[in-house]
CSV table of all heavy atoms in Angstrom, one decimal:
chain,number,residue,atom,x,y,z
A,1266,ARG,N,-3.2,4.3,-1.4
A,1266,ARG,CA,-3.5,3.6,-2.7
A,1266,ARG,C,-3.2,2.1,-2.4
A,1266,ARG,O,-2.0,1.8,-2.4
A,1266,ARG,CB,-2.7,4.1,-3.8
A,1266,ARG,CG,-3.0,3.4,-5.1
A,1266,ARG,CD,-2.3,4.0,-6.3
A,1266,ARG,NE,-2.6,5.4,-6.5
A,1266,ARG,CZ,-3.5,5.8,-7.4
A,1266,ARG,NH1,-4.2,5.0,-8.1
A,1266,ARG,NH2,-3.7,7.1,-7.6
A,1267,PRO,N,-4.2,1.2,-2.3
A,1267,PRO,CA,-3.9,-0.2,-2.1
A,1267,PRO,C,-3.2,-0.8,-3.3
A,1267,PRO,O,-3.5,-0.5,-4.5
A,1267,PRO,CB,-5.3,-0.8,-2.0
A,1267,PRO,CG,-6.3,0.3,-2.1
A,1267,PRO,CD,-5.6,1.5,-2.4
A,1268,GLN,N,-2.1,-1.5,-3.0
A,1268,GLN,CA,-1.3,-2.1,-4.1
A,1268,GLN,C,-1.5,-3.6,-4.3
A,1268,GLN,O,-1.2,-4.1,-5.3
A,1268,GLN,CB,0.2,-1.9,-3.8
A,1268,GLN,CG,0.6,-0.4,-3.6
A,1268,GLN,CD,0.4,0.3,-4.9
A,1268,GLN,OE1,0.8,-0.2,-6.0
A,1268,GLN,NE2,-0.2,1.5,-4.9
A,1269,GLN,N,-2.1,-4.3,-3.3
A,1269,GLN,CA,-2.3,-5.7,-3.4
A,1269,GLN,C,-3.6,-6.2,-2.7
A,1269,GLN,O,-4.0,-5.5,-1.8
A,1269,GLN,CB,-1.1,-6.5,-2.8
A,1269,GLN,CG,-0.9,-6.3,-1.3
A,1269,GLN,CD,0.4,-7.0,-0.8
A,1269,GLN,OE1,1.3,-7.2,-1.6
A,1269,GLN,NE2,0.4,-7.3,0.4
A,1270,GLU,N,-4.1,-7.3,-3.2
A,1270,GLU,CA,-5.3,-7.8,-2.6
A,1270,GLU,C,-5.0,-8.6,-1.3
A,1270,GLU,O,-4.0,-9.1,-1.2
A,1270,GLU,CB,-6.1,-8.6,-3.6
A,1270,GLU,CG,-5.5,-9.9,-4.0
A,1270,GLU,CD,-6.3,-10.6,-5.1
A,1270,GLU,OE1,-6.8,-10.0,-6.0
A,1270,GLU,OE2,-6.4,-11.8,-4.9
A,1271,THR,N,-6.0,-8.6,-0.5
A,1271,THR,CA,-6.0,-9.4,0.8
A,1271,THR,C,-7.2,-10.3,0.8
A,1271,THR,O,-8.3,-9.9,0.5
A,1271,THR,CB,-6.1,-8.5,2.0
A,1271,THR,OG1,-5.0,-7.5,1.9
A,1271,THR,CG2,-6.1,-9.2,3.3
A,1272,MET,N,-7.0,-11.6,1.1
A,1272,MET,CA,-8.1,-12.5,1.1
A,1272,MET,C,-8.8,-12.4,2.5
A,1272,MET,O,-8.1,-12.3,3.5
A,1272,MET,CB,-7.6,-14.0,0.9
A,1272,MET,CG,-8.8,-15.0,0.8
A,1272,MET,SD,-9.9,-14.6,-0.6
A,1272,MET,CE,-8.9,-14.8,-2.0
A,1273,THR,N,-10.1,-12.3,2.5
A,1273,THR,CA,-10.9,-12.0,3.7
A,1273,THR,C,-11.5,-13.3,4.3
A,1273,THR,O,-11.5,-14.4,3.7
A,1273,THR,CB,-12.0,-11.0,3.4
A,1273,THR,OG1,-12.9,-11.7,2.5
A,1273,THR,CG2,-11.4,-9.7,2.9
A,1274,ARG,N,-12.1,-13.1,5.5
A,1274,ARG,CA,-12.8,-14.2,6.1
A,1274,ARG,C,-14.0,-14.7,5.3
A,1274,ARG,O,-14.5,-15.8,5.4
A,1274,ARG,CB,-13.3,-13.8,7.5
A,1274,ARG,CG,-12.1,-13.7,8.5
A,1274,ARG,CD,-12.7,-13.3,9.9
A,1274,ARG,NE,-11.5,-13.1,10.8
A,1274,ARG,CZ,-11.6,-12.7,12.0
A,1274,ARG,NH1,-12.8,-12.4,12.5
A,1274,ARG,NH2,-10.6,-12.6,12.7
A,1275,GLN,N,-14.5,-13.7,4.5
A,1275,GLN,CA,-15.6,-14.0,3.6
A,1275,GLN,C,-15.2,-14.8,2.3
A,1275,GLN,O,-16.0,-15.1,1.5
A,1275,GLN,CB,-16.3,-12.7,3.1
A,1275,GLN,CG,-16.9,-12.0,4.3
A,1275,GLN,CD,-15.9,-10.9,4.8
A,1275,GLN,OE1,-14.8,-11.1,5.0
A,1275,GLN,NE2,-16.4,-9.7,4.9
A,1276,ARG,N,-13.8,-15.0,2.2
A,1276,ARG,CA,-13.2,-15.7,1.1
A,1276,ARG,C,-13.4,-14.9,-0.2
A,1276,ARG,O,-13.6,-15.5,-1.3
A,1276,ARG,CB,-13.7,-17.1,0.9
A,1276,ARG,CG,-13.4,-18.0,2.1
A,1276,ARG,CD,-13.6,-19.5,1.8
A,1276,ARG,NE,-14.9,-19.8,1.2
A,1276,ARG,CZ,-15.9,-20.4,1.9
A,1276,ARG,NH1,-15.7,-20.8,3.1
A,1276,ARG,NH2,-17.0,-20.7,1.3
A,1277,LEU,N,-13.2,-13.6,-0.1
A,1277,LEU,CA,-13.2,-12.7,-1.3
A,1277,LEU,C,-12.0,-11.8,-1.2
A,1277,LEU,O,-11.6,-11.4,-0.1
A,1277,LEU,CB,-14.5,-11.8,-1.3
A,1277,LEU,CG,-15.8,-12.5,-1.5
A,1277,LEU,CD1,-16.9,-11.5,-1.4
A,1277,LEU,CD2,-15.8,-13.2,-2.9
A,1278,PRO,N,-11.4,-11.4,-2.4
A,1278,PRO,CA,-10.3,-10.5,-2.4
A,1278,PRO,C,-10.7,-9.1,-2.1
A,1278,PRO,O,-11.7,-8.6,-2.7
A,1278,PRO,CB,-9.7,-10.7,-3.8
A,1278,PRO,CG,-10.8,-11.3,-4.6
A,1278,PRO,CD,-11.7,-12.0,-3.7
A,1279,TYR,N,-10.1,-8.4,-1.2
A,1279,TYR,CA,-10.3,-7.0,-0.8
A,1279,TYR,C,-9.0,-6.2,-1.1
A,1279,TYR,O,-7.9,-6.7,-1.0
A,1279,TYR,CB,-10.6,-6.9,0.7
A,1279,TYR,CG,-12.0,-7.1,1.1
A,1279,TYR,CD1,-12.8,-8.0,0.5
A,1279,TYR,CD2,-12.6,-6.3,2.1
A,1279,TYR,CE1,-14.1,-8.2,0.9
A,1279,TYR,CE2,-13.8,-6.5,2.5
A,1279,TYR,CZ,-14.6,-7.5,1.9
A,1279,TYR,OH,-15.9,-7.6,2.4
A,1280,PHE,N,-9.2,-5.0,-1.4
A,1280,PHE,CA,-8.2,-4.0,-1.5
A,1280,PHE,C,-8.5,-3.0,-0.4
A,1280,PHE,O,-9.4,-2.2,-0.5
A,1280,PHE,CB,-8.1,-3.3,-2.8
A,1280,PHE,CG,-7.7,-4.2,-3.9
A,1280,PHE,CD1,-8.6,-5.0,-4.6
A,1280,PHE,CD2,-6.4,-4.3,-4.3
A,1280,PHE,CE1,-8.3,-5.9,-5.6
A,1280,PHE,CE2,-6.0,-5.2,-5.3
A,1280,PHE,CZ,-6.9,-6.0,-6.0
A,1281,VAL,N,-7.8,-3.2,0.8
A,1281,VAL,CA,-8.0,-2.4,2.0
A,1281,VAL,C,-7.6,-1.0,1.7
A,1281,VAL,O,-6.4,-0.7,1.3
A,1281,VAL,CB,-7.3,-3.0,3.2
A,1281,VAL,CG1,-7.6,-2.1,4.4
A,1281,VAL,CG2,-7.9,-4.4,3.5
A,1282,GLY,N,-8.4,0.0,2.0
A,1282,GLY,CA,-8.1,1.4,1.9
A,1282,GLY,C,-8.0,2.0,3.3
A,1282,GLY,O,-7.0,1.8,4.0
A,1283,VAL,N,-9.0,2.6,3.8
A,1283,VAL,CA,-9.0,3.3,5.1
A,1283,VAL,C,-9.4,2.3,6.2
A,1283,VAL,O,-10.4,1.6,6.0
A,1283,VAL,CB,-10.0,4.5,5.1
A,1283,VAL,CG1,-10.1,5.1,6.5
A,1283,VAL,CG2,-9.6,5.5,4.1
A,1284,SER,N,-8.6,2.2,7.2
A,1284,SER,CA,-9.0,1.3,8.4
A,1284,SER,C,-8.2,1.9,9.6
A,1284,SER,O,-7.4,2.8,9.5
A,1284,SER,CB,-8.6,-0.1,8.1
A,1284,SER,OG,-7.2,-0.3,8.1
A,1285,GLY,N,-8.4,1.2,10.7
A,1285,GLY,CA,-7.6,1.6,11.9
A,1285,GLY,C,-6.2,1.3,11.7
A,1285,GLY,O,-5.3,2.1,12.1
A,1286,GLN,N,-5.8,0.2,11.0
A,1286,GLN,CA,-4.5,-0.2,10.8
A,1286,GLN,C,-3.8,0.7,9.7
A,1286,GLN,O,-2.6,1.1,9.9
A,1286,GLN,CB,-4.4,-1.6,10.4
A,1286,GLN,CG,-3.0,-2.1,10.2
A,1286,GLN,CD,-2.9,-3.6,9.9
A,1286,GLN,OE1,-4.0,-4.2,9.6
A,1286,GLN,NE2,-1.8,-4.2,9.8
A,1287,THR,N,-4.5,1.0,8.7
A,1287,THR,CA,-3.8,1.8,7.6
A,1287,THR,C,-3.8,3.3,7.8
A,1287,THR,O,-2.8,3.9,7.3
A,1287,THR,CB,-4.5,1.5,6.2
A,1287,THR,OG1,-5.8,2.0,6.3
A,1287,THR,CG2,-4.4,0.0,5.9
A,1288,ALA,N,-4.8,3.8,8.4
A,1288,ALA,CA,-4.9,5.3,8.5
A,1288,ALA,C,-5.1,5.8,9.9
A,1288,ALA,O,-5.2,7.0,10.1
A,1288,ALA,CB,-6.0,5.8,7.6
A,1289,GLY,N,-5.2,4.9,10.9
A,1289,GLY,CA,-5.5,5.3,12.2
A,1289,GLY,C,-6.9,5.7,12.5
A,1289,GLY,O,-7.3,6.4,13.4
A,1290,ALA,N,-7.8,5.3,11.6
A,1290,ALA,CA,-9.3,5.6,11.7
A,1290,ALA,C,-9.8,5.0,13.0
A,1290,ALA,O,-9.4,3.9,13.4
A,1290,ALA,CB,-10.0,5.0,10.5
A,1291,THR,N,-10.7,5.7,13.6
A,1291,THR,CA,-11.3,5.2,14.9
A,1291,THR,C,-12.8,4.8,14.8
A,1291,THR,O,-13.3,4.3,15.7
A,1291,THR,CB,-11.1,6.2,16.0
A,1291,THR,OG1,-11.8,7.4,15.6
A,1291,THR,CG2,-9.7,6.5,16.2
A,1292,GLY,N,-13.4,5.1,13.7
A,1292,GLY,CA,-14.8,4.8,13.6
A,1292,GLY,C,-15.3,4.3,12.2
A,1292,GLY,O,-16.5,4.1,12.1
A,1293,LEU,N,-14.4,4.0,11.3
A,1293,LEU,CA,-14.8,3.5,10.0
A,1293,LEU,C,-13.7,2.8,9.3
A,1293,LEU,O,-12.6,2.9,9.6
A,1293,LEU,CB,-15.4,4.6,9.1
A,1293,LEU,CG,-14.5,5.7,8.6
A,1293,LEU,CD1,-13.7,5.3,7.4
A,1293,LEU,CD2,-15.2,7.0,8.4
A,1294,SER,N,-14.1,2.0,8.3
A,1294,SER,CA,-13.2,1.4,7.4
A,1294,SER,C,-13.9,1.5,6.0
A,1294,SER,O,-15.1,1.5,5.9
A,1294,SER,CB,-12.9,-0.1,7.7
A,1294,SER,OG,-14.0,-0.9,7.7
A,1295,MET,N,-13.0,1.5,5.0
A,1295,MET,CA,-13.5,1.6,3.6
A,1295,MET,C,-12.5,0.9,2.7
A,1295,MET,O,-11.3,1.1,2.8
A,1295,MET,CB,-13.6,3.0,3.2
A,1295,MET,CG,-14.2,3.3,1.9
A,1295,MET,SD,-14.3,5.1,1.6
A,1295,MET,CE,-15.6,5.1,0.4
A,1296,HIS,N,-13.1,0.0,1.8
A,1296,HIS,CA,-12.2,-0.7,0.9
A,1296,HIS,C,-13.0,-1.1,-0.3
A,1296,HIS,O,-14.1,-0.8,-0.5
A,1296,HIS,CB,-11.6,-2.0,1.7
A,1296,HIS,CG,-12.7,-2.7,2.4
A,1296,HIS,ND1,-13.0,-2.4,3.7
A,1296,HIS,CD2,-13.4,-3.8,2.1
A,1296,HIS,CE1,-13.9,-3.2,4.1
A,1296,HIS,NE2,-14.2,-4.1,3.2
A,1297,ILE,N,-12.3,-1.8,-1.2
A,1297,ILE,CA,-12.9,-2.3,-2.5
A,1297,ILE,C,-12.9,-3.8,-2.4
A,1297,ILE,O,-11.9,-4.5,-2.0
A,1297,ILE,CB,-12.1,-1.9,-3.7
A,1297,ILE,CG1,-12.2,-0.3,-3.8
A,1297,ILE,CG2,-12.6,-2.5,-5.0
A,1297,ILE,CD1,-11.3,0.2,-4.9
A,1298,VAL,N,-14.0,-4.4,-2.7
A,1298,VAL,CA,-14.2,-5.9,-2.8
A,1298,VAL,C,-14.3,-6.2,-4.3
A,1298,VAL,O,-14.9,-5.5,-5.0
A,1298,VAL,CB,-15.4,-6.4,-2.0
A,1298,VAL,CG1,-16.7,-5.9,-2.5
A,1298,VAL,CG2,-15.4,-7.9,-2.0
A,1299,VAL,N,-13.7,-7.4,-4.6
A,1299,VAL,CA,-13.8,-7.9,-6.0
A,1299,VAL,C,-14.4,-9.3,-5.8
A,1299,VAL,O,-13.8,-10.1,-5.1
A,1299,VAL,CB,-12.4,-8.0,-6.7
A,1299,VAL,CG1,-12.6,-8.6,-8.0
A,1299,VAL,CG2,-11.8,-6.6,-6.8
A,1300,ILE,N,-15.5,-9.5,-6.5
A,1300,ILE,CA,-16.1,-10.9,-6.5
A,1300,ILE,C,-15.8,-11.5,-7.9
A,1300,ILE,O,-16.3,-11.0,-8.9
A,1300,ILE,CB,-17.6,-10.9,-6.3
A,1300,ILE,CG1,-17.9,-10.1,-5.0
A,1300,ILE,CG2,-18.1,-12.3,-6.2
A,1300,ILE,CD1,-19.4,-9.9,-4.7
A,1301,PRO,N,-14.9,-12.5,-7.9
A,1301,PRO,CA,-14.5,-13.1,-9.2
A,1301,PRO,C,-15.8,-13.6,-10.0
A,1301,PRO,O,-16.8,-13.9,-9.3
A,1301,PRO,CB,-13.6,-14.2,-8.8
A,1301,PRO,CG,-13.0,-13.8,-7.5
A,1301,PRO,CD,-14.2,-13.1,-6.8
Side-chain angles (χ1 to χ4, degrees):
R1266 182 178 299 265
Q1268 300 295 316
Q1269 64 184 24
E1270 67 182 45
T1271 301
M1272 191 56 65
T1273 64
R1274 290 182 183 174
Q1275 300 95 311
R1276 294 194 311 251
L1277 292 176
Y1279 274 38
F1280 292 86
V1281 177
V1283 174
S1284 70
Q1286 183 177 6
T1287 63
T1291 60
L1293 64 86
S1294 64
M1295 184 179 204
H1296 46 273
I1297 296 174
V1298 62
V1299 177
I1300 307 174

